[in-house]
Amino acid sequence: MEVDSYHSVAQNEIRETQMEELNIRHDSLEKSENLQRHRTEGFGSTAALVVRRGAPFRVTLQVEGRPFNPKTDTLRIKLSQGRNYMVMPVAYSKRVSSRRWQAYLELEGLDLRRPSVFISSPASASVGGYRFELFASKQGKWRRCLSGKFILLCNPWCPEDTVYIPFEDQREEYIQNDSGLLFMGTALNLVSRPWSFDQFEPGVLEACLNLLHVSPQHKKNPRRDYANRNNPVYLSRVVSAMINCEDDHGVLKGNWSNDFKEGVHPSTWSGSADILKKWAQSNYSPVKYGQCWVYAAVMCTVMRVLGIPCRVVTNFNSAHDTNGNLVIEEYYSETGKKLNHSKDSIWNFHVWVECWMERNDLGPEMNGWQVLDPTPQERSGGVFCCGPAPVRAIKDRRTDLFFDIPFVYAAVNADVHSIVVSKGRVVSHSKDTERVGAFICTKAVGYPRHQNITRDYKYITSPTSSLTRSSVVSDDSTLRRGSSSGIAVFLTLDKAPVAGEPIRFTVNAVNKQKVAKMMKVHLNAQAKEYNHSPSETFWETHGIIEMSPMESKVIKQQIFPAQYEDVVGDDLINLAVVLEDMATQERVLASEEFNITTSQLTIQVEDSVILNREQTATVTFSNHFSHPVSGILTVAGAGLIQGRVHYRMMVLPGGRAQQRITFLPRMTGTKMLQASLSLANINSTISGFKMVFVNKG
């Protein structure tokens, strides 16, 4: 009887224990482990856990009272994104599928006081913020035990993800690298501009997610927007429109005038964080001002934050073909002055981005790099955005596909017709089929230099491109097509122009006939912005030469610093020569647009750079101008300097100034320390950078 009574009491205690509620007090998101597993360590300062789709993350539960019982306790998780939600059971299986949401417990090594639940998302899940709620069942009734939040990004490390890129060095460059170079100037004289993408700086991730929330697509239909965020084609198109403010509460206001009083000159920006945080803090009022490289750099930041591989691309001599005839007409006066007579234009350089993704809507042959251009130029689907246009489709002229392939195709392939007019009459006409899209480049993977990607965009059949021909202005075939049978002219820069030195160039006039000729030679130089027609002439010279039959005559010329320094700055020069046969009035034209490089800032870093240890660097500027210069020196570096630091500089002609700075590295790995000097008395910004490797110590 006593034995039976004992067993009865024991069974009652077991039943009471089983009846007792499972008391889950709190959870741990295991941030350090999950960030490392999902390669999101850079977002460690973000309050929410940041993970990538297509891979599990661990949540550890803290149980009080009775331990967790895998045989009797049933759990489930509710995931919600806005009003979209789903509920899934917590299973006892480790078989993870990248095609659906799953939650599971690992029984092997299970700690009944601290059990771990793994949540795994499909590789096609929508990106953005999620809320999860854990429920436990008691007698068929579900009780919410706890809740938490996480942010889900695309996963270029996951082969099933449509943004998967197969090489680790490319993932490091196009997702993790928080600094880079933008290329400007001209194809023959590239200018490398350092830029901090800042994707891991505090507040940037939140601003990028807010960009999706304030988009017209989200405001119109949040449920549909959340559902569509699984597709990088959709995401990239939304972001392309939201970087400019023409149709929405976008990030940047463009300004291509010379009046920047109500905002910041585009050349002043050196990183994306200042722009994105200013936009978010101003209740989504557009930041003033941006131009093409600023638009592209900020978009690159947003796409890298979202987990979509992205790089900034420069197209030199980029055509803006307004009527779609693939012809850009440029007009000159009979004395070589470029005229503003056409709605079409050629920008000396134009900057956009490429994003890597599958194009399931177009077929696998269109997978890979896609052009996206956030600079507001033309409407696409009624909105100022452009892309994603597959680079392969541009190369193959697949203008039947979408999005915006004809526009980008024209930007890299249009022909240039140069027309000389006199008294309203066309007196000379020539065609150049190589100038537009002459050179397309991006930053090389892992190295601070450019990579030529022109052949990705176009079939190059000639053995020498316009970048390698001996005449930097007009090759012989172009002159034959655009000149009379009697005369020809070549214009060649003797060397790439450098600030503080004369611009030296050579004119080669050719008499192609067996009779003597008297020739007028007109030379004209105008300053111009990269995207505008030139301003008034600042230098010109005219003369007459006598030429024997079949003679070729060389004329040496130079423009002195005092004649161009106060005019050009960051602008370029349009230089043209018109050769006129005085007997027949036949005229031929040769022209070139070029930039003048300035001396770069140099940065020296003392000793090895150690994480969380104060370091010292020295920035040096040498003044090669013929007059004193002054300005504001700005120093920045993602992961090295919090925000930006500013110093005043004044340097006499031929003088040198140095500025010592201190910085405290907050992230390991290769980082860019950059400096820019905005000169007050010249329209010019001088830059420099130093790549430093931060050790753990």
Side-chain angles (χ1 to χ4, degrees):
M1 184 70 178
E2 291 179 0
V3 172
D4 291 341
S5 176
Y6 172 80
H7 283 298
S8 177
V9 170
Q11 288 172 354
N12 287 336
E13 288 179 351
I14 292 172
R15 279 195 293 269
E16 288 175 5
T17 301
Q18 291 173 342
M19 294 284 289
E20 183 183 343
E21 287 188 353
L22 181 66
N23 187 9
I24 301 175
R25 299 296 298 169
H26 61 81
D27 66 335
S28 168
L29 294 181
E30 304 294 352
K31 211 168 182 183
S32 177
E33 172 194 321
N34 287 323
L35 292 178
Q36 183 176 8
R37 175 182 292 181
H38 288 257
R39 297 174 177 86
T40 52
E41 298 101 315
F43 299 115
S45 61
T46 304
L49 174 66
V50 182
V51 293
R52 301 192 186 277
R53 63 189 188 180
F57 64 93
R58 184 160 70 101
V59 180
T60 301
L61 311 178
Q62 181 65 50
V63 178
E64 292 189 358
R66 72 169 179 86
F68 176 76
N69 187 338
K71 295 182 178 180
T72 60
D73 290 325
T74 305
L75 304 174
R76 71 182 184 185
I77 287 177
K78 179 182 178 181
L79 286 175
S80 55
Q81 191 179 37
R83 293 186 178 181
N84 297 357
Y85 72 92
M86 65 164 294
V87 178
M88 56 185 172
V90 178
Y92 301 104
S93 171
K94 196 180 177 182
R95 288 183 296 177
V96 181
S97 170
S98 61
R99 296 184 177 182
R100 58 188 176 89
W101 283 97
Q102 288 178 277
Y104 61 91
L105 285 154
E106 287 187 355
L107 291 178
E108 184 178 345
L110 180 65
D111 185 341
L112 300 181
R113 292 288 181 183
R114 300 184 75 252
S116 289
V117 176
F118 291 85
I119 300 174
S120 181
S121 62
S124 59
S126 295
V127 305
Y130 284 81
R131 175 182 173 86
F132 72 89
E133 298 170 275
L134 179 72
F135 293 83
S137 174
K138 178 188 177 185
Q139 295 179 329
K141 294 183 179 180
W142 291 97
R143 176 177 58 87
R144 190 178 75 170
C145 299
L146 52 85
S147 63
K149 294 180 179 180
F150 64 93
I151 295 169
L152 190 67
L153 306 178
C154 294
N155 191 353
W157 283 268
C158 175
E160 290 79 23
D161 198 312
T162 51
V163 303
Y164 172 70
I165 193 166
F167 302 106
E168 180 61 24
D169 59 345
Q170 293 185 1
R171 293 189 287 256
E172 288 295 319
E173 181 69 47
Y174 302 136
I175 290 290
Q176 304 288 56
N177 198 348
D178 54 7
S179 63
L181 296 176
L182 316 179
F183 297 101
M184 304 162 71
T186 58
L188 289 165
N189 203 8
L190 266 65
V191 175
S192 303
R193 183 184 185 91
W195 189 271
S196 289
F197 294 114
D198 296 330
Q199 63 264 41
F200 304 121
E201 293 298 295
V204 170
L205 170 65
E206 293 81 357
C208 294
L209 295 177
N210 288 341
L211 181 146
L212 300 179
H213 281 1
V214 301
S215 70
Q217 290 87 342
H218 187 80
K219 290 183 176 181
K220 183 178 180 180
N221 192 327
R223 283 180 179 271
R224 183 183 299 169
D225 174 61
Y226 280 129
N228 287 336
R229 287 190 195 177
N230 69 329
N231 186 354
V233 174
Y234 173 83
L235 285 169
S236 63
R237 198 155 170 80
V238 170
V239 174
S240 175
M242 283 297 299
I243 297 298
N244 69 73
C245 68
E246 300 307 310
D247 309 288
D248 41 48
H249 292 289
V251 177
L252 280 160
K253 177 67 176 176
N255 188 341
W256 286 269
S257 72
N258 287 315
D259 182 5
F260 303 102
K261 292 193 297 293
E262 295 184 6
V264 173
H265 193 296
S267 292
T268 304
W269 301 114
S270 59
S272 300
D274 289 344
I275 296 169
L276 287 166
K277 291 195 286 189
K278 185 174 183 179
W279 171 73
Q281 293 163 3
S282 66
N283 197 27
Y284 313 118
S285 297
V287 177
K288 301 176 180 178
Y289 292 103
Q291 291 184 7
C292 66
W293 72 91
V294 185
Y295 283 114
V298 173
M299 182 167 182
C300 185
T301 296
V302 177
M303 301 312 285
R304 289 185 183 183
V305 164
L306 297 179
I308 301 174
C310 189
R311 63 188 187 184
V312 180
V313 170
T314 302
N315 175 34
F316 287 96
N317 298 331
S318 189
H320 187 177
D321 182 20
T322 58
N323 57 11
N325 66 351
L326 293 178
V327 172
I328 305 296
E329 295 178 332
E330 296 188 331
Y331 292 86
Y332 286 83
S333 75
E334 59 188 329
T335 58
K337 180 179 179 180
K338 195 173 185 181
L339 306 172
N340 187 17
H341 283 182
S342 175
K343 291 183 179 180
D344 291 343
S345 62
I346 296 177
W347 292 14
N348 294 93
F349 64 87
H350 182 50
V351 185
W352 56 62
V353 302
E354 289 177 358
C355 291
W356 181 276
M357 64 188 74
E358 291 181 11
R359 291 302 300 268
N360 295 325
D361 54 336
L362 300 180
E365 68 275 9
M366 295 301 158
N367 292 348
W369 291 115
Q370 316 283 319
V371 172
L372 289 138
D373 189 354
T375 300
Q377 297 182 88
E378 298 281 337
R379 292 189 185 275
S380 173
V383 177
F384 277 107
C385 68
C386 179
V391 172
R392 181 72 198 188
I394 297 162
K395 185 172 185 176
D396 291 341
R397 201 177 180 179
R398 289 293 307 277
T399 54
D400 56 309
L401 303 178
F402 45 85
F403 299 91
D404 309 305
I405 294 164
F407 182 78
V408 184
Y409 179 84
V412 300
N413 284 293
D415 292 342
V416 181
H417 290 199
S418 297
I419 302 164
V420 179
V421 295
S422 176
K423 299 177 182 178
R425 185 172 62 90
V426 174
V427 295
S428 176
H429 184 282
S430 60
K431 181 173 73 171
D432 190 338
T433 60
E434 293 184 350
R435 180 175 159 197
V436 167
F439 186 61
I440 306 170
C441 70
T442 187
K443 179 187 172 297
V445 174
Y447 296 95
R449 61 173 184 254
H450 72 266
Q451 175 187 344
N452 185 349
I453 57 172
T454 312
R455 292 182 182 272
D456 293 349
Y457 281 80
K458 54 204 303 185
Y459 293 98
I460 300 174
T461 55
S462 60
T464 58
S465 74
S466 57
L467 295 183
T468 58
R469 63 194 184 212
S470 59
S471 169
V472 298
V473 178
S474 303
D475 65 4
D476 192 44
S477 61
T478 297
L479 284 169
R480 277 198 294 268
R481 288 193 299 269
S483 66
S484 70
S485 59
I487 56 176
V489 65
F490 295 85
L491 175 62
T492 309
L493 291 173
D494 294 352
K495 57 172 288 190
V498 177
E501 298 179 7
I503 301 168
R504 295 185 173 91
F505 59 96
T506 300
V507 175
N508 189 358
V510 180
N511 179 4
K512 299 164 70 175
Q513 295 180 329
K514 297 179 180 180
V515 294
K517 292 181 181 290
M518 296 290 287
M519 305 271 199
K520 286 184 180 179
V521 182
H522 305 282
L523 283 158
N524 187 289
Q526 300 161 268
K528 76 176 296 288
E529 296 178 64
Y530 73 96
N531 63 315
H532 277 172
S533 294
S535 57
E536 290 301 309
T537 298
F538 72 85
W539 177 90
E540 62 183 322
T541 184
H542 310 273
I544 297 176
I545 58 174
E546 183 176 356
M547 300 192 70
S548 303
M550 306 299 291
E551 182 183 8
S552 176
K553 186 164 287 188
V554 173
I555 305 168
K556 293 286 188 179
Q557 289 286 349
Q558 57 185 336
I559 306 174
F560 293 100
Q563 296 172 302
Y564 68 76
E565 279 182 347
D566 295 333
V567 179
V568 179
D570 283 340
D571 291 342
L572 298 94
I573 290 178
N574 180 276
L575 181 64
V577 55
V578 173
L579 187 64
E580 178 185 349
D581 185 331
M582 295 176 65
T584 65
Q585 279 75 56
E586 292 171 329
R587 297 173 176 87
V588 290
L589 166 78
S591 67
E592 176 64 307
E593 292 178 348
F594 56 88
N595 57 312
I596 302 174
T597 56
T598 56
S599 58
Q600 298 290 292
L601 300 175
T602 59
I603 303 175
Q604 290 183 313
V605 178
E606 300 177 6
D607 305 323
S608 59
V609 180
I610 307 297
L611 182 69
N612 295 322
R613 180 185 298 177
E614 189 173 272
Q615 308 286 153
T616 302
T618 303
V619 182
T620 303
F621 168 64
S622 298
N623 181 14
H624 296 298
F625 295 98
S626 59
H627 49 74
V629 296
S630 62
I632 302 296
L633 175 69
T634 301
V635 182
L640 300 174
I641 297 176
Q642 192 77 34
R644 278 145 178 72
V645 292
H646 307 279
Y647 308 91
R648 290 191 174 276
M649 266 193 173
M650 180 174 174
V651 193
L652 296 174
R656 191 176 73 159
Q658 290 187 326
Q659 178 65 55
R660 287 172 62 85
I661 62 167
T662 57
F663 60 97
L664 189 68
R666 295 175 288 109
M667 296 178 67
T668 58
T670 302
K671 300 295 172 184
M672 175 188 285
L673 185 62
Q674 59 162 299
S676 61
L677 177 61
S678 297
L679 300 179
N681 47 348
I682 302 176
N683 175 27
S684 183
T685 301
I686 298 168
S687 303
F689 68 93
K690 176 76 171 180
M691 305 306 297
V692 298
F693 185 79
V694 181
N695 295 284
K696 289 184 178 179

